[in-house]
PDB file of all heavy atoms in Angstrom:
ATOM      1  N   MET A   1     116.054  72.052 103.128  1.00 70.00           N
ATOM      2  CA  MET A   1     116.687  73.155 103.801  1.00 70.00           C
ATOM      3  C   MET A   1     117.168  72.712 105.189  1.00 70.00           C
ATOM      4  O   MET A   1     118.280  73.011 105.584  1.00 70.00           O
ATOM      5  CB  MET A   1     115.704  74.315 103.934  1.00 70.00           C
ATOM      6  CG  MET A   1     116.256  75.462 104.737  1.00 70.00           C
ATOM      7  SD  MET A   1     115.203  76.889 104.746  1.00 70.00           S
ATOM      8  CE  MET A   1     114.605  76.838 106.400  1.00 70.00           C
ATOM      9  N   VAL A  11     128.551  69.031 112.117  1.00 95.00           N
ATOM     10  CA  VAL A  11     129.973  69.220 111.818  1.00 95.00           C
ATOM     11  C   VAL A  11     130.581  70.267 112.740  1.00 95.00           C
ATOM     12  O   VAL A  11     131.662  70.059 113.308  1.00 95.00           O
ATOM     13  CB  VAL A  11     130.161  69.609 110.325  1.00 95.00           C
ATOM     14  CG1 VAL A  11     131.574  70.081 110.057  1.00 95.00           C
ATOM     15  CG2 VAL A  11     129.802  68.446 109.428  1.00 95.00           C
ATOM     16  N   THR A  21     138.258  69.572 123.785  1.00 94.00           N
ATOM     17  CA  THR A  21     138.946  68.427 124.394  1.00 94.00           C
ATOM     18  C   THR A  21     140.411  68.337 124.003  1.00 94.00           C
ATOM     19  O   THR A  21     141.147  67.535 124.579  1.00 94.00           O
ATOM     20  CB  THR A  21     138.238  67.121 124.009  1.00 94.00           C
ATOM     21  OG1 THR A  21     138.212  66.988 122.587  1.00 94.00           O
ATOM     22  CG2 THR A  21     136.819  67.099 124.562  1.00 94.00           C
ATOM     23  N   GLY A  25     143.643  73.253 123.210  1.00 89.00           N
ATOM     24  CA  GLY A  25     142.423  74.032 122.996  1.00 89.00           C
ATOM     25  C   GLY A  25     141.852  74.560 124.296  1.00 89.00           C
ATOM     26  O   GLY A  25     142.374  74.340 125.383  1.00 89.00           O
ATOM     27  N   CYS A  31     133.734  77.789 122.088  1.00 93.00           N
ATOM     28  CA  CYS A  31     132.543  78.650 121.966  1.00 93.00           C
ATOM     29  C   CYS A  31     132.647  79.575 120.762  1.00 93.00           C
ATOM     30  O   CYS A  31     131.665  79.768 120.031  1.00 93.00           O
ATOM     31  CB  CYS A  31     132.357  79.465 123.242  1.00 93.00           C
ATOM     32  SG  CYS A  31     131.876  78.477 124.656  1.00 93.00           S
ATOM     33  N   PHE A  34     132.134  77.501 117.654  1.00 94.00           N
ATOM     34  CA  PHE A  34     130.719  77.172 117.472  1.00 94.00           C
ATOM     35  C   PHE A  34     129.922  78.378 116.982  1.00 94.00           C
ATOM     36  O   PHE A  34     129.084  78.261 116.082  1.00 94.00           O
ATOM     37  CB  PHE A  34     130.130  76.637 118.774  1.00 94.00           C
ATOM     38  CG  PHE A  34     128.730  76.154 118.648  1.00 94.00           C
ATOM     39  CD1 PHE A  34     128.454  74.974 117.982  1.00 94.00           C
ATOM     40  CD2 PHE A  34     127.679  76.882 119.161  1.00 94.00           C
ATOM     41  CE1 PHE A  34     127.151  74.520 117.846  1.00 94.00           C
ATOM     42  CE2 PHE A  34     126.374  76.438 119.034  1.00 94.00           C
ATOM     43  CZ  PHE A  34     126.114  75.253 118.378  1.00 94.00           C
ATOM     44  N   ILE A  44     122.586  82.822 108.449  1.00 92.00           N
ATOM     45  CA  ILE A  44     122.570  83.422 107.107  1.00 92.00           C
ATOM     46  C   ILE A  44     121.942  82.472 106.097  1.00 92.00           C
ATOM     47  O   ILE A  44     121.103  82.868 105.285  1.00 92.00           O
ATOM     48  CB  ILE A  44     123.996  83.828 106.692  1.00 92.00           C
ATOM     49  CG1 ILE A  44     124.488  84.976 107.579  1.00 92.00           C
ATOM     50  CG2 ILE A  44     124.047  84.222 105.220  1.00 92.00           C
ATOM     51  CD1 ILE A  44     125.965  85.296 107.426  1.00 92.00           C
ATOM     52  N   GLY A  50     115.036  80.666 103.422  1.00 90.00           N
ATOM     53  CA  GLY A  50     113.658  80.917 103.833  1.00 90.00           C
ATOM     54  C   GLY A  50     112.992  82.049 103.081  1.00 90.00           C
ATOM     55  O   GLY A  50     111.807  82.319 103.288  1.00 90.00           O
ATOM     56  N   THR A  51     113.728  82.729 102.190  1.00 92.00           N
ATOM     57  CA  THR A  51     113.171  83.864 101.457  1.00 92.00           C
ATOM     58  C   THR A  51     111.949  83.498 100.622  1.00 92.00           C
ATOM     59  O   THR A  51     110.947  84.221 100.674  1.00 92.00           O
ATOM     60  CB  THR A  51     114.265  84.507 100.581  1.00 92.00           C
ATOM     61  OG1 THR A  51     115.306  84.969 101.432  1.00 92.00           O
ATOM     62  CG2 THR A  51     113.723  85.672  99.779  1.00 92.00           C
ATOM     63  N   MET A  53     109.703  81.225 101.104  1.00 93.00           N
ATOM     64  CA  MET A  53     108.579  80.978 101.996  1.00 93.00           C
ATOM     65  C   MET A  53     108.039  82.299 102.551  1.00 93.00           C
ATOM     66  O   MET A  53     106.828  82.486 102.647  1.00 93.00           O
ATOM     67  CB  MET A  53     109.012  80.066 103.141  1.00 93.00           C
ATOM     68  CG  MET A  53     107.890  79.670 104.068  1.00 93.00           C
ATOM     69  SD  MET A  53     108.348  78.465 105.313  1.00 93.00           S
ATOM     70  CE  MET A  53     109.822  79.156 106.013  1.00 93.00           C
ATOM     71  N   GLU A  65      94.091  90.446 102.584  1.00 95.00           N
ATOM     72  CA  GLU A  65      93.700  91.818 102.900  1.00 95.00           C
ATOM     73  C   GLU A  65      92.930  92.446 101.741  1.00 95.00           C
ATOM     74  O   GLU A  65      91.960  93.170 101.948  1.00 95.00           O
ATOM     75  CB  GLU A  65      94.936  92.653 103.227  1.00 95.00           C
ATOM     76  CG  GLU A  65      95.570  92.308 104.547  1.00 95.00           C
ATOM     77  CD  GLU A  65      96.887  93.025 104.769  1.00 95.00           C
ATOM     78  OE1 GLU A  65      97.351  93.752 103.855  1.00 95.00           O
ATOM     79  OE2 GLU A  65      97.453  92.869 105.872  1.00 95.00           O
ATOM     80  N   ALA A  71      85.492  92.948  99.827  1.00 90.00           N
ATOM     81  CA  ALA A  71      84.214  92.566 100.436  1.00 90.00           C
ATOM     82  C   ALA A  71      83.623  93.732 101.221  1.00 90.00           C
ATOM     83  O   ALA A  71      82.406  93.954 101.191  1.00 90.00           O
ATOM     84  CB  ALA A  71      84.409  91.361 101.352  1.00 90.00           C
ATOM     85  N   ALA A  72      84.472  94.493 101.899  1.00 89.00           N
ATOM     86  CA  ALA A  72      83.979  95.650 102.658  1.00 89.00           C
ATOM     87  C   ALA A  72      83.468  96.737 101.724  1.00 89.00           C
ATOM     88  O   ALA A  72      82.491  97.422 102.038  1.00 89.00           O
ATOM     89  CB  ALA A  72      85.088  96.201 103.551  1.00 89.00           C
ATOM     90  N   PRO A  76      78.542  97.983 101.315  1.00 70.00           N
ATOM     91  CA  PRO A  76      77.677  99.166 101.287  1.00 70.00           C
ATOM     92  C   PRO A  76      76.886  99.275  99.983  1.00 70.00           C
ATOM     93  O   PRO A  76      75.764  99.757  99.980  1.00 70.00           O
ATOM     94  CB  PRO A  76      78.641 100.335 101.444  1.00 70.00           C
ATOM     95  CG  PRO A  76      79.813  99.763 102.142  1.00 70.00           C
ATOM     96  CD  PRO A  76      79.906  98.350 101.644  1.00 70.00           C
ATOM     97  N   THR A  82      69.086  97.871  98.459  1.00 62.00           N
ATOM     98  CA  THR A  82      67.833  97.498  99.102  1.00 62.00           C
ATOM     99  C   THR A  82      67.203  98.742  99.712  1.00 62.00           C
ATOM    100  O   THR A  82      67.889  99.585 100.286  1.00 62.00           O
ATOM    101  CB  THR A  82      68.068  96.457 100.209  1.00 62.00           C
ATOM    102  OG1 THR A  82      68.938  97.000 101.194  1.00 62.00           O
ATOM    103  CG2 THR A  82      68.669  95.182  99.645  1.00 62.00           C
TER     104      THR A  82
END
Side-chain angles (χ1 to χ4, degrees):
M1 175 173 108
V11 168
T21 58
C31 291
F34 186 72
I44 293 170
T51 299
M53 184 174 50
E65 289 173 356
T82 60

